[in-house]
Amino acid sequence: VQLQASGGGLVQPGGSLKLSCTAHGFTLGDYAVGWFRQVPGKERERVSCISNSGDRTYPADFAKGRFTVSRDDAKNTVDLQMSSLKPEDTAVYYCAINTICGTTLFAYSYWGHGTQVTVSS
């Protein structure tokens, strides 16, 4: 049972990037999926979350209008499409599952290794 975040890389300010969260060994559609990010020395923060049904998303204020989370149950993935990227979006991005899109990080599980996103010119 594993979650894998992928798709990170180096992108210029104003650019776009799509991250994918892929589940191995279980059905991702049975869970709410959260995207998080962390910068060294700072607390991990939630970027967005999508309900298990896919009908509701919960973006952080900094993600509204720029980041979109979506599900592809056929591929057993949840994607995070990021646009208008800023240098302050530089972080390691993680995905994790929960029964609901709660705000308590400790309620999420199967964090995986994360994927590095660097926004720089």
Side-chain angles (χ1 to χ4, degrees):
V1 176
Q2 185 182 11
L3 271 181
Q4 182 177 5
S6 62
L10 174 64
V11 62
Q12 291 187 342
S16 299
L17 205 60
K18 186 177 80 170
L19 307 182
S20 293
C21 176
T22 304
H24 302 278
F26 67 99
T27 302
L28 200 54
D30 291 341
Y31 299 92
V33 178
W35 278 99
F36 302 82
R37 68 186 187 183
Q38 188 168 23
V39 176
K42 294 189 176 181
E43 293 186 354
R44 190 169 297 187
E45 61 180 350
R46 197 176 81 174
V47 176
S48 190
C49 184
I50 186 166
S51 64
N52 59 341
S53 62
D55 61 344
R56 294 201 66 175
T57 62
Y58 302 86
D61 285 343
F62 64 80
K64 291 177 180 177
R66 299 191 301 130
F67 296 178
T68 302
V69 61
S70 61
R71 310 189 72 107
D72 188 336
D73 289 342
K75 295 181 179 179
N76 212 24
T77 62
V78 168
D79 294 333
L80 180 68
Q81 179 67 53
M82 304 185 294
S83 60
S84 302
L85 284 162
K86 307 173 183 180
E88 51 264 42
D89 294 319
T90 296
V92 177
Y93 284 71
Y94 301 86
C95 59
I97 59 171
N98 198 349
T99 53
I100 59 171
C101 282
T103 57
T104 304
L105 267 60
F106 294 118
Y108 289 82
S109 55
Y110 295 109
W111 287 91
H113 294 291
T115 185
Q116 175 71 47
V117 172
T118 302
V119 184
S120 175
S121 55

